[in-house]
Amino acid sequence: MSKALSLLILAMMALHLWRPLGLPGLRARRDVWKIAVFALAAIAVTVLLSHHG
C-alpha cells in the first residue's frame, strides 16, 4: 500500500510542477512542498497502521 501511495504522490508532484492542480492551497508551482509534507504524513500513518495490528 505504501508503495502505491508513494507512486501516486510522486505523480501528483510531477503533475503539479508541470501544471498546478488549482486546489485550495496548491495554486502555484512553489506549493509542491505541501504535497511532499502531506505524503510524508500519509506514509507515516500507513506504516503505523500496518505495524500496529
Side-chain angles (χ1 to χ4, degrees), residues 21-36:
L21 299 174
L23 298 172
L26 296 174
R27 303 230 184 250
R29 285 186 173 93
R30 67 180 179 268
D31 293 333
V32 171
W33 69 269
K34 294 177 185 177
I35 298 173

Side-chain angles (χ1 to χ4, degrees), residues 1 5 41-53:
M1 177 64 184
L5 185 61
I43 291 171
V45 168
T46 303
V47 168
L48 286 174
L49 290 176
S50 67
H51 288 291
H52 187 267

